[in-house]
């Protein structure tokens, strides 16, 4: 029967999945459960309930039965979990029948019936049956979970010391709290930082090291805000940053390493009541936090953020007050504790003030006429102990020596009053910008507004003011405004500069000089040392920051607090300061033009090799830290293109287009908020091959061809020169041989004729006749030489015409009939000058012999092609001769030499009274 279960291996480099067949010896139980685990050697095992243990065999590429652990007979089917104790090289098997230990060093399996080492845990009668989980933490404590078999009941949870003898009841405090509904403990997880987690069905516990007990994390309906919703927790793990990831049936949850007890707190007030808008926060010396709210009055939390009672409203409201006036005491806006006497001032709607004495637990109710029934929006104390009040209607009121008096009337809402270090009073007024007021005279010293002029504000309405240093005032009006009180210059820090939103609501400086900012898009921090903005969100444990835009406070313990609509965020700034270098940057994607290429495969190569046409690439990068991801600055450089390191913008990728061929090295590193760099520089080698016409082999071939052409041209030129030289030698030789000898003969004959002119006129006449014949031959030879040299006679048509003309002149003078025939196809034959001359001289010799010696009446001449050869045949019907007894003479010998020069073959056939036939075959193109 086919196995319905499927297992496989996913290759993260090649992004391929390979199915691994499961090959059990027998069929599996339908309710079998599967748990995969591996040992320190890298072997992968599969624990199958109701069957046993199987192992992945790489050679067979299958999951096969594993029988090497020597478990007691029948126990292998009852295995629930396997724990690998790497320290002692032991495997602990939790089974329904009890505990088994396989010792790798001894290659033995120990259990309660075979316990040669007398392990106390195997002898413990309380934990012999129904064990589902065993876990050994770093303190070598044994955590054991199981079901009692002696009488039913809930799961037992035991913790024993490293010996396995003693129960540690104090270490399990809190594990028996939690839901009253059915629950199951499934497994344990200990993080690298030592945090211990327990999870399962309706179970999620975390050990609180501050309280030294397990804290039950209840599934809530508010998981979308600050909680976690689950029915079953399947797994808990920590990443390289130490942050915790929790997999549940409701999804995946994340908790930052800084969001533990009293690191970051997100508080939502009672949801059953109307929304509680926290408008101001104040800390008392006893550690209590007073919070002003509009509608709920003053609420007090102790230093552990538990709600406590207070005595603010214990004193009755004066009977003379109307119902409306009495109703203002719960519409609180502002708080201030006077340093001199510890009295607490509370500003309310309708110009009402509450003056509370926490020692006497009494309250005075005031309605000073100077406020003109206008809401007291803000109260603060300056360095001289004077109190300053700002109202909804815009009145700036000073309280000095027990008297209230009006300083300025801005005729608009006063959001914030800030006494700076030099004593100036800064006022944020609705739609009127920022004012600086002299605390003594009450005169306006400086005024900043928005507009189209130098040193303008981003907006005219601001909600908070802080002082960065002795010169710079920070004003949250839209963007963050930096105001130099000495020069009057204004600088803006906006969204384009990294601010999460151009809507700043709260500002608060910490003890290290960083400014923490609440915007409509959440919390961020301004670092004045590098002018960098860093955002903080859910992955940092900051969940409700976008709702805490109405109040802020810096506590005596160094905590920052931001309050707002039914929410409070409280954290210590130090938890966000990292002393650890960020992880090395990882190349996360590689895009060629518009197509992504699997980057894991590329990173395995020594270099990414691209063709010359693949010159547009995009490289994506990131440091694989979920917590620090948005708090790192990246710098990259493409060696060969970029001269200096380039700071990456918010998009963590870089595009390179039209890259010329060459070898390049892409480098990238990151830097955290404290300026710590990643340990190494991530490198990717890129080689863009040049086009074929720029490669070495192509250039070599081109150089070879050029050299070959030069050689050929030189050879042709040399051959031409040699041909000219040969022609000149040939002409010279012909002139010397033919002309020289003939002229010498004429010269001799003329001398002889001259000497015989007067003594023997007959002899002289004979000499003169010979002179005439020699002159005629010399003229003919000269004509042949000139004709052969002349380029216009290169065509076969001219050769045939001259041959026909010569034969006609010679044979007609001897009254011999001529039959001359030339095939038209031979007119395309090309002969060089020497071949043309040799052919003509052979023809001439043959015709002359026929005219002089044959006594023929008919001479037949044929010129025709024959098997890629030119055939010349001269045949007469004369008296013939016997070639065997006849001296060939110079004429026939010259014909043979010229035929050899033509690489041809000459055949002479003749017999007495049968005429003569001369046949010449020469190769042609």
């Amino acid at each position: 029967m086919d196995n319905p279960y499927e297992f496989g291996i996913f290759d993260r480099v090649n992004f391929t999945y390979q199915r691994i067949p499961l090959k059990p010896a027998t069929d599996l139980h339908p309710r079998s459960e599967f748990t995969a685990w591996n040992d320190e050697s890298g072997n992968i095992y599969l624990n199958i309930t109701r069957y046993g243990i199987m192992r992945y065999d790489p050679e067979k590429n299958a999951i096969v039965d594993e029988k090497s652990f020597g478990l007691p007979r029948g126990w292998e089917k009852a295995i629930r979990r396997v724990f690998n104790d790497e320290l002692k090289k032991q495997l602990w098997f939790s089974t329904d029948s009890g505990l088994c230990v396989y010792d790798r060093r001894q290659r033995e399996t120990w259990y309660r019936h075979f316990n040669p080492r007398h392990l106390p845990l195997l002898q413990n009668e309380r934990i012999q049956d129904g064990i589902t989980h065993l876990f050994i933490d770093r303190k070598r404590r044994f955590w054991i979970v199981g079901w009692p078999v002696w009488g039913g009941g809930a799961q037992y949870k035991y913790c024993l010391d490293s010996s396995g003898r003693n129960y540690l009841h104090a270490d399990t405090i809190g594990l028996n709290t939690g839901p009253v509904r059915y629950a199951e403990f499934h497994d344990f997880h200990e993080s690298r930082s030592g945090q211990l987690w327990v999870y399962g069905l309706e179970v999620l516990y975390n050990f609180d090291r501050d309280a030294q007990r397990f804290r039950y994390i209840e599934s809530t309906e508010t998981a979308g805000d600050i909680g976690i919703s689950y029915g079953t927790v399947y797994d808990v793990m920590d990443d390289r940053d130490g942050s915790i990831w929790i997999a549940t049936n409701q999804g995946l949850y994340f908790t930052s390493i800084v969001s533990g007890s009293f690191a970051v707190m997100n508080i939502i007030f009672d949801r059953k009541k109307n929304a509680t808008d926290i408008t101001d926060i104040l800390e008392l010396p006893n550690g209590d936090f007073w919070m002003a709210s509009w509608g709920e009055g003053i609420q007090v939390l102790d230093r552990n953020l538990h709600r406590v009672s207070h005595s603010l409203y214990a004193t009755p409201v004066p009977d003379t007050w109307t119902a409306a006036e009495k109703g203002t005491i719960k519409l609180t806006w502002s708080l201030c504790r006077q340093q001199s006497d510890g009295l607490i001032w509370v500003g309310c709607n309708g110009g009402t003030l509450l003056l509370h004495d926490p020692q006497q637990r009494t309250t005075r109710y005031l309605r000073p006429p100077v406020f003109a029934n206008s809401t007291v929006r803000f109260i603060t104390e300056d360095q001289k102990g004077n109190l300053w009040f700002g109202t909804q209607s815009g009145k700036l009121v000073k309280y000095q020596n027990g008297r209230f008096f009006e300083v300025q009337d801005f005729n608009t809402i006063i959001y914030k009053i800030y006494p700076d270090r030099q004593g100036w009073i800064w006022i944020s007024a609705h739609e009127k910008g920022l004012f600086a007021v002299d605390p003594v005279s009450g005169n306006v010293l400086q005024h900043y507004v928005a507009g189209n002029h130098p040193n303008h504000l981003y907006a005219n309405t601001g909600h908070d003011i802080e002082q960065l240093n002795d010169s710079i005032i920070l004003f949250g009006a839209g963007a963050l405004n930096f105001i130099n009180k000495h020069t009057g210059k204004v600088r803006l820090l906006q969204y384009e500069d990294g601010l999460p939103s151009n809507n700043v609501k709260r500002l608060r400086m910490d003890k290290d000089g960083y400014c923490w900012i609440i915007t409509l898009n959440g919390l961020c921090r301004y670092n004045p040392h590098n002018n960098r903005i860093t955002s903080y969100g859910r992955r940092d444990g900051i969940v409700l920051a976008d709702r805490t835009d109405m109040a802020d406070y810096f506590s005596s313990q160094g905590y920052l607090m931001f309050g707002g609509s039914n929410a409070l965020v409280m954290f210590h700034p130090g938890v966000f300061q990292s002393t650890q270098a960020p992880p090395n940057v990882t190349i996360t994607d590689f895009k060629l033009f518009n197509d992504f290429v699997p980057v894991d495969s590329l990173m395995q190569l020594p270099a990414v090799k691209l063709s010359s046409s693949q010159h547009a690439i995009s490289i994506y990068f990131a440091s694989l830290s979920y917590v620090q991801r948005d708090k790192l600055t990246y710098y990259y450089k493409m060696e060969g293109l970029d001269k200096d390191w380039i700071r990456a913008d918010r998009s963590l990728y870089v595009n390179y287009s039209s890259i010329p061929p060459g070898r390049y090295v892409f480098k990238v590193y990151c830097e955290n908020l404290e300026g710590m760099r990643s340990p190494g520089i991530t490198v990717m080698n890129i080689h863009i091959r040049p086009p074929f016409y720029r490669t070495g082999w192509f250039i070599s071939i081109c150089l070879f061809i050029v050299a070959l052409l030069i050689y050929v041209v030189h050879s042709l030129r040399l051959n031409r020169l040699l041909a000219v030289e040969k022609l000149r030698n040939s002409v010279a030789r012909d002139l010397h041989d033919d002309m020289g000898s003939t002229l010498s003969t004429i010269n001799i004959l003329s001398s002889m004729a001259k000497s015989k002119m007067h003594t023997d006129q007959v002899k002289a006449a004979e000499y003169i006749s010979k002179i005439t014949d020699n002159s005629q031959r010399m003229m003919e030879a000269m004509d042949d030489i000139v004709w052969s040299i002349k380029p216009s006679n290169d065509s076969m048509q001219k050769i045939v015409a001259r041959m026909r003309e010569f034969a006609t002149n010679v044979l007609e003078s001897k009254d011999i009939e001529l039959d001359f025939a030339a095939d038209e196809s031979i007119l395309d034959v090309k002969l060089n000058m020497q071949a043309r001359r040799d052919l003509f001289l052979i023809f001439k010799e043959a015709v002359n012999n026929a005219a002089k010696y044959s006594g023929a009446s008919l001479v037949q001449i044929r010129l025709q092609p024959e098997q890629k050869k030119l055939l010349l045949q001269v045949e007469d019907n004369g008296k013939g001769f016997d070639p065997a007894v006849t001296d060939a003479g110079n004429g026939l010998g010259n014909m043979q030499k010229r035929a050899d020069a033509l690489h041809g073959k000459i055949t002479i056939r003749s017999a007495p009274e049968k005429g003569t036939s001369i046949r010449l075959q020469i190769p042609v193109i």
Side-chain angles (χ1 to χ4, degrees):
M1 181 175 75
D2 292 339
N3 200 308
Y5 307 104
E6 178 174 321
F7 301 87
I9 297 177
F10 177 73
D11 191 325
R12 294 181 297 172
V13 175
N14 299 318
F15 280 81
T16 57
Y17 173 79
Q18 180 184 10
R19 186 179 182 274
I20 306 300
L22 188 69
K23 296 183 177 180
T26 60
D27 291 340
L28 301 181
H29 193 279
R31 295 181 59 190
S32 293
E33 298 177 0
F34 302 84
T35 306
W37 53 279
N38 62 287
D39 60 19
E40 62 273 11
S41 301
N43 297 311
I44 301 174
Y45 298 90
L46 191 65
N47 180 57
I48 307 175
T49 58
R50 299 179 176 85
Y51 181 81
I53 298 175
M54 301 186 74
R55 176 179 57 86
Y56 171 64
D57 189 333
E59 295 182 358
K60 297 180 180 179
N61 194 34
I63 299 175
V64 299
D65 287 348
E66 176 62 39
K67 301 292 184 181
S68 63
F69 297 121
L71 296 172
R73 186 179 184 85
W75 283 38
E76 66 275 3
K77 294 185 178 182
I79 296 175
R80 294 293 183 177
R81 287 291 189 276
V82 181
F83 181 82
N84 182 20
D85 187 354
E86 296 183 5
L87 182 64
K88 291 190 175 183
K89 308 296 183 184
Q90 294 175 340
L91 291 175
W92 287 82
F93 298 91
S94 301
T95 78
D96 292 339
S97 303
L99 287 174
C100 289
V101 185
Y102 176 75
D103 190 280
R104 293 187 182 277
R105 295 167 180 162
Q106 301 296 325
R107 297 180 181 271
E108 290 182 348
T109 300
W110 308 321
Y111 55 104
R112 61 184 173 183
H113 301 305
F114 178 71
N115 189 10
R117 297 300 177 93
H118 304 289
L119 299 180
L121 205 60
L122 299 182
Q123 298 172 343
N124 192 323
E125 294 296 332
R126 295 176 63 184
I127 53 174
Q128 288 304 315
D129 299 314
I131 300 174
T132 58
H133 298 84
L134 178 141
F135 179 80
I136 305 174
D137 64 19
R138 293 178 186 175
K139 295 180 179 180
R140 304 299 300 172
R141 294 176 298 184
F142 290 91
W143 296 87
I144 298 174
V145 176
W147 295 92
V149 296
W150 56 84
Q155 275 183 309
Y156 57 80
K157 288 83 68 175
Y158 297 137
C159 179
L160 292 90
D161 63 9
S162 59
S163 68
R165 293 187 179 90
N166 305 311
Y167 288 88
L168 304 176
H169 299 290
D171 291 351
T172 61
I173 293 177
L175 279 185
N176 292 317
T177 62
V180 295
R181 54 190 175 276
Y182 180 78
E184 290 184 10
F185 287 69
H186 285 174
D187 217 336
F188 293 78
H189 174 75
E190 187 175 21
S191 69
R192 288 180 293 177
S193 62
Q195 292 180 322
L196 189 61
W197 295 77
V198 187
Y199 58 92
L201 175 65
E202 297 290 351
V203 170
L204 181 60
Y205 290 88
N206 171 239
F207 189 77
D208 190 330
R209 284 177 288 191
D210 295 329
Q212 286 297 301
R213 61 176 289 130
F214 279 96
R215 179 169 57 91
Y216 177 66
I217 303 173
E218 186 175 0
S219 175
T220 68
E221 297 178 357
T222 62
D225 293 323
I226 60 174
I228 176 173
S229 178
Y230 65 90
T232 301
V233 177
Y234 296 118
D235 201 1
V236 176
M237 64 164 287
D238 54 319
D239 60 22
R240 69 177 74 184
D241 294 321
S243 300
I244 302 298
W245 295 82
I246 303 172
T248 79
N249 63 323
Q250 298 295 325
L252 183 65
Y253 292 89
F254 164 85
T255 178
S256 168
I257 53 175
V258 301
S259 59
S261 299
F262 291 94
V264 176
M265 286 149 282
N266 299 270
I267 300 172
I268 295 181
F269 293 96
D270 196 348
R271 293 175 177 274
K272 297 179 181 179
K273 297 182 179 180
N274 296 329
T276 302
D277 291 335
I278 298 175
T279 55
D280 206 356
I281 303 173
L282 176 66
E283 182 184 16
L284 270 59
N286 65 356
D288 287 348
F289 293 102
W290 283 42
M291 300 184 185
S293 66
W294 196 86
E296 297 294 324
I298 298 299
Q299 301 184 61
V300 179
L301 304 178
D302 63 16
R303 65 182 61 209
N304 294 320
L305 302 183
H306 297 142
R307 193 185 296 268
V308 295
S309 61
H310 58 83
S311 58
L312 176 64
Y313 302 113
T315 302
V317 180
D319 294 335
T320 56
W321 283 23
T322 65
E325 291 172 338
K326 292 179 180 180
T328 61
I329 64 173
K330 291 292 184 79
L331 302 176
T332 55
W333 281 95
S334 51
L335 290 165
C336 181
R337 180 177 179 273
Q338 200 165 1
Q339 297 298 320
S340 60
D341 51 20
L343 297 179
I344 301 174
W345 292 78
V346 182
C348 307
N349 262 30
T352 299
L353 286 176
L354 279 64
L355 183 57
H356 180 70
D357 187 337
Q359 297 296 328
Q360 300 297 325
R361 301 175 66 86
T362 60
T363 302
R364 292 173 56 194
Y365 298 94
L366 307 174
R367 290 182 55 80
V370 69
F371 294 121
N373 299 322
S374 180
T375 298
V376 182
R377 293 290 300 257
F378 198 85
I379 309 173
T380 189
E381 184 178 18
D382 65 17
Q383 297 171 356
K384 295 182 179 181
N386 301 313
L387 295 179
W388 295 82
F389 301 83
T391 71
Q392 182 84 5
S393 63
K395 293 182 182 295
L396 177 63
V397 177
K398 182 178 181 181
Y399 180 77
Q400 186 176 23
N401 299 324
R403 294 178 55 249
F404 295 94
F405 58 92
E406 181 179 321
V407 177
Q408 285 278 350
D409 188 354
F410 296 101
N411 199 31
T412 188
I413 302 172
I414 295 178
Y415 291 112
K416 180 73 177 273
I417 305 173
Y418 184 83
D420 70 12
R421 300 170 192 172
Q422 291 75 33
W424 288 16
I425 305 299
W426 294 84
I427 310 297
S428 170
H430 179 74
E431 287 299 324
K432 289 191 176 182
L434 181 66
F435 296 87
V437 175
D438 187 309
V440 178
S441 66
N443 297 329
V444 174
L445 301 175
Q446 292 181 358
H447 183 204
Y448 299 90
V449 294
N452 297 322
H453 55 81
N455 301 315
H456 64 87
L457 300 177
Y458 184 87
N460 276 327
T461 297
H463 292 86
D464 210 352
I465 309 169
E466 268 284 2
Q467 187 168 10
L468 184 65
N469 52 47
D470 289 343
S471 301
I472 304 300
I473 299 296
L474 299 179
F475 184 41
L480 186 59
N481 301 261
F482 293 77
I483 301 168
N484 191 317
K485 58 182 292 187
H486 299 310
T487 64
K489 293 185 177 180
V490 178
R491 177 174 67 90
L492 301 180
L493 188 71
Q494 307 176 67
Y495 176 80
E496 294 78 6
D497 305 310
L499 200 64
S501 168
N502 282 336
N503 204 324
V504 173
K505 292 295 186 180
R506 309 308 310 167
L507 301 173
R508 181 59 70 170
M509 301 293 298
D510 66 17
K511 62 182 180 61
D512 295 319
Y514 297 105
C515 181
W516 295 83
I517 307 168
I518 293 288
T519 74
L520 286 187
N521 284 340
L523 175 70
C524 66
R525 187 188 76 171
Y526 171 70
N527 185 341
H529 308 297
N530 56 19
N531 199 41
R532 184 181 299 170
I533 290 287
T534 306
S535 298
Y536 297 89
R538 297 184 66 88
R539 67 173 61 94
D540 306 295
I542 304 295
V543 179
L544 305 173
D546 57 330
R547 297 167 56 176
T548 57
D549 59 353
M550 300 180 69
D552 57 82
Y553 192 78
F554 189 63
S555 77
S556 60
Q557 300 298 318
Y559 285 90
L560 279 172
M561 305 176 71
F562 292 99
S565 179
N566 211 41
L568 176 70
V569 172
M570 180 177 177
F571 62 89
H572 197 292
V575 301
F576 296 114
Q577 294 181 3
S578 174
T579 58
Q580 214 172 19
N584 287 334
V585 181
T586 299
I587 306 295
T588 57
D589 268 313
F590 186 90
K591 188 163 68 172
L592 184 60
F593 290 101
N594 292 320
D595 298 324
F596 283 96
V597 181
V599 70
D600 290 328
S601 301
L602 295 180
M603 295 304 292
Q604 302 299 315
L605 303 174
V608 179
K609 295 184 178 180
L610 305 174
S611 66
S612 59
S613 60
Q614 296 172 319
H615 52 72
I617 62 175
S618 299
I619 302 175
Y620 295 74
F621 48 84
S623 182
L624 300 183
S625 170
Y626 186 76
V627 174
Q628 300 186 59
R629 183 177 64 181
D630 297 331
K631 303 171 187 63
L632 299 174
T633 304
Y634 296 84
Y635 298 88
Y636 66 87
K637 177 171 65 172
M638 180 76 82
E639 288 189 351
L641 290 179
D642 303 324
K643 293 183 179 180
D644 300 315
W645 290 95
I646 301 173
R647 179 175 173 174
D649 56 15
R650 295 186 180 185
S651 299
L652 300 184
Y653 66 91
V654 56
N655 293 320
Y656 289 99
S657 59
S658 301
I659 307 177
R663 296 183 182 272
Y664 305 94
V665 181
F666 179 77
K667 296 182 176 181
V668 60
Y669 71 89
C670 65
E671 189 177 273
N672 65 12
L673 299 175
E674 281 68 40
M676 300 179 66
R677 289 178 51 171
S678 52
I681 296 177
T682 303
V683 174
M684 173 182 275
N685 296 300
I686 300 174
H687 178 204
I688 299 182
R689 293 186 292 266
F692 74 93
Y693 53 81
R694 291 181 57 185
T695 57
W697 63 267
F698 183 81
I699 294 174
S700 299
I701 291 175
C702 290
L703 292 175
F704 174 76
I705 293 175
V706 170
L708 183 62
L709 290 175
I710 293 174
Y711 173 77
V712 170
V713 171
H714 176 71
S715 298
L716 292 175
R717 182 173 177 273
L718 184 61
N719 290 336
R720 190 177 294 109
L721 292 174
L722 292 174
V724 172
E725 184 66 21
K726 183 178 180 181
L727 176 60
R728 292 172 64 185
N729 291 333
S730 177
V731 172
R733 184 176 62 254
D734 291 342
L735 290 175
H736 178 271
D737 294 344
D738 294 338
M739 302 299 106
S741 60
T742 302
L743 289 174
S744 297
T745 301
I746 291 175
N747 185 44
I748 293 172
L749 290 174
S750 62
S751 298
M752 294 176 65
K754 184 176 180 181
S755 63
K756 297 293 184 179
M757 182 69 69
H758 300 290
T759 58
D760 189 355
Q761 293 185 352
V762 176
K763 201 67 171 176
E766 182 181 349
Y767 289 152
I768 291 171
S769 176
K770 290 182 178 181
I771 289 172
T772 302
D773 292 340
N774 284 325
S775 298
Q776 182 66 33
R777 284 200 305 276
M778 185 178 67
M779 291 176 62
E780 291 177 357
M782 181 63 74
D783 184 60
D784 291 341
I785 292 173
V786 173
W787 178 83
S788 62
I789 294 174
K790 195 172 182 181
S792 61
N793 297 321
D794 284 350
S795 66
M796 198 65 188
Q797 187 174 1
K798 292 291 184 69
I799 298 174
V800 172
R802 182 169 178 81
M803 294 171 71
R804 187 189 301 275
E805 179 184 5
F806 174 78
T808 299
N809 293 336
V810 171
L811 296 178
E812 281 185 354
S813 63
K814 298 295 185 178
D815 198 22
I816 300 175
E817 183 180 354
L818 173 64
D819 181 7
F820 191 101
D823 195 301
E824 289 186 0
S825 61
I826 68 170
L827 299 180
D828 295 329
V829 174
K830 301 292 183 181
L831 297 175
N832 59 32
M833 180 193 72
Q834 188 62 41
R836 186 172 67 250
R837 185 166 178 271
D838 289 337
L839 175 63
F840 182 74
L841 291 178
I842 292 173
F843 169 77
K844 184 177 180 181
E845 186 69 28
V847 172
N848 280 332
N849 288 340
K852 291 180 179 179
Y853 309 115
S854 68
S857 60
L858 174 64
V859 174
Q860 292 181 326
I861 300 173
R862 298 289 184 267
L863 273 170
Q864 60 189 37
E866 185 179 82
Q867 297 180 353
K868 296 184 179 181
K869 293 181 180 181
L870 178 63
L871 174 63
L872 169 65
Q873 185 169 330
V874 179
E875 186 177 352
D876 63 63
N877 60 356
K879 57 185 179 181
F881 64 94
D882 186 358
V885 298
T886 301
D887 184 9
N890 290 331
L892 296 180
N894 287 337
M895 293 172 67
Q896 184 63 49
K897 290 180 181 180
R898 296 185 186 280
D900 293 340
L902 291 169
H903 304 289
K905 179 180 180 183
I906 189 168
T907 304
I908 302 175
R909 293 188 179 89
S910 183
E913 303 305 328
K914 292 187 178 180
T916 300
S917 174
I918 298 175
R919 182 184 177 88
L920 173 67
Q921 287 180 309
I922 60 174
V924 294
I925 298 176

